[in-house]
Amino acid sequence: MSTSPPNVATMEIKLGRLKDALLRGRRHDGCLRLWSDFIRERDGHRCVDCHSRKRLSAHHICRKSFLRIAEFQTGNGITLCHDCHKEMHRGFNARPDLSLPVDAQGGEKLAAAERLFSILTDDAVERNLMKDEFYFLSDKVLGSLKRMQGYDPATYFPGSRIEQAYLILAECELGMRRAMAGADGMPMTSEPLLPGGLYLVLPERPGEPRKTVVVRTYVPRSKSNEVDEKKASSGTRRGPQPKGEPE
């Protein structure tokens, strides 16, 4: 389906209004309205999933009760039509019991969140809109997702911030991966494999520890800035990311 060219100037105006409201500590409902207005404008006033233009809503990819600090971050929003939005809230939709493991009640819908971050990345790249401020997720949010998956917050994932969120959620939980490897008597790396990656365990040699090799085939669809691109080509880990903008 063809879409009109993105109106970047209008997006920047609406994003500026949201930032100003947050900076001034305006009422929650007003900030949420401005956040929703920006998300729909950025996404071209159509559902990012099915491209319908009817009955649109700005949806929080990670629920507010799950990641409160991401409530007004632009990378945590995606425009969905009524039917697609309804599907995201199917099943458990009450306040979660935080004493239980993540998504134990099925309300966080992590597989759905993984998919939404992925299609939002594709949409941003296809429309040439990938700017951190338009799709922003803070270091704290990305760090929380990494910890949830068992990774150190400093573990490097490539791509823009929303693509990193997709890749983090696409990983098998590290503790589970280690348990499965341990059951077979194999060592397990703490590095992410990324989609399509392989973890090879080389044959044992007498008197030597078993060696492993990680083979990655994933090519990032986006990048945050030149620093991220250079880091990606020079290693698999890096230090804390730049703030990008206030949380």
Side-chain angles (χ1 to χ4, degrees):
M1 178 183 295
S2 61
T3 59
S4 56
N7 191 331
V8 175
T10 301
M11 294 178 202
E12 290 175 341
I13 290 172
K14 293 187 175 184
L15 180 58
R17 291 172 182 165
L18 171 61
K19 288 181 176 181
D20 182 68
L22 293 171
L23 201 60
R24 294 173 181 269
R26 296 290 173 81
R27 293 181 59 178
H28 178 273
D29 289 351
C31 290
L32 184 59
R33 191 160 46 248
L34 291 170
W35 177 85
S36 299
D37 193 31
F38 168 77
I39 296 300
R40 292 193 298 271
E41 181 67 41
R42 182 201 66 193
D43 294 341
H45 296 281
R46 92 279 191 246
C47 177
V48 175
D49 198 353
C50 74
H51 290 189
S52 170
R53 293 184 178 275
K54 299 179 180 179
R55 302 178 68 185
L56 302 176
S57 299
H59 171 70
H60 285 92
I61 298 177
C62 291
R63 291 206 305 171
K64 299 186 290 292
S65 57
F66 173 49
L67 279 177
R68 173 64 66 179
I69 58 174
E71 181 175 10
F72 297 122
Q73 294 185 12
T74 54
N76 191 37
I78 188 170
T79 303
L80 299 175
C81 68
H82 174 76
D83 290 342
C84 291
H85 195 204
K86 183 178 179 180
E87 185 63 29
M88 290 301 105
H89 290 282
R90 189 182 300 277
F92 183 84
N93 196 34
R95 185 177 296 276
D97 183 346
L98 299 180
S99 67
L100 297 176
V102 174
D103 212 23
Q105 296 166 289
E108 310 313 335
K109 298 178 174 62
L110 297 181
E114 172 194 330
R115 178 176 174 274
L116 292 182
F117 279 126
S118 180
I119 65 174
L120 188 61
T121 298
D122 284 340
D123 190 64
V125 171
E126 289 169 5
R127 298 170 67 223
N128 198 28
L129 279 178
M130 187 58 80
K131 298 172 61 176
D132 273 357
E133 64 175 359
F134 285 175
Y135 299 91
F136 181 75
L137 291 171
S138 69
D139 295 336
K140 285 186 178 180
V141 168
L142 293 174
S144 294
L145 294 177
K146 290 174 187 177
R147 281 192 292 269
M148 181 186 72
Q149 295 289 71
Y151 290 94
D152 186 285
T155 303
Y156 175 72
F157 285 82
S160 65
R161 290 174 180 266
I162 56 171
E163 186 169 11
Q164 290 175 46
Y166 153 65
L167 292 172
I168 294 166
L169 293 177
E171 286 290 309
C172 176
E173 198 275 326
L174 185 57
M176 180 182 298
R177 207 168 77 189
R178 283 174 171 163
M180 293 170 63
D184 291 329
M186 296 189 301
M188 175 50 64
T189 179
S190 60
E191 298 177 10
L193 296 181
L194 304 183
L198 298 174
Y199 180 63
L200 305 179
V201 181
L202 303 181
E204 287 186 272
R205 292 184 177 181
E208 295 184 9
R210 181 173 286 184
K211 295 181 179 180
T212 61
V213 176
V214 174
V215 179
R216 294 192 180 92
T217 59
Y218 183 82
V219 178
R221 291 168 277 173
S222 61
K223 59 184 176 65
S224 288
N225 49 49
E226 292 181 4
V227 173
D228 281 349
E229 189 175 33
K230 291 176 181 177
K231 293 285 187 179
S233 63
S234 63
T236 58
R237 292 174 65 88
R238 63 183 175 95
Q241 303 166 2
K243 270 295 188 187
E245 69 179 57
E247 297 168 10

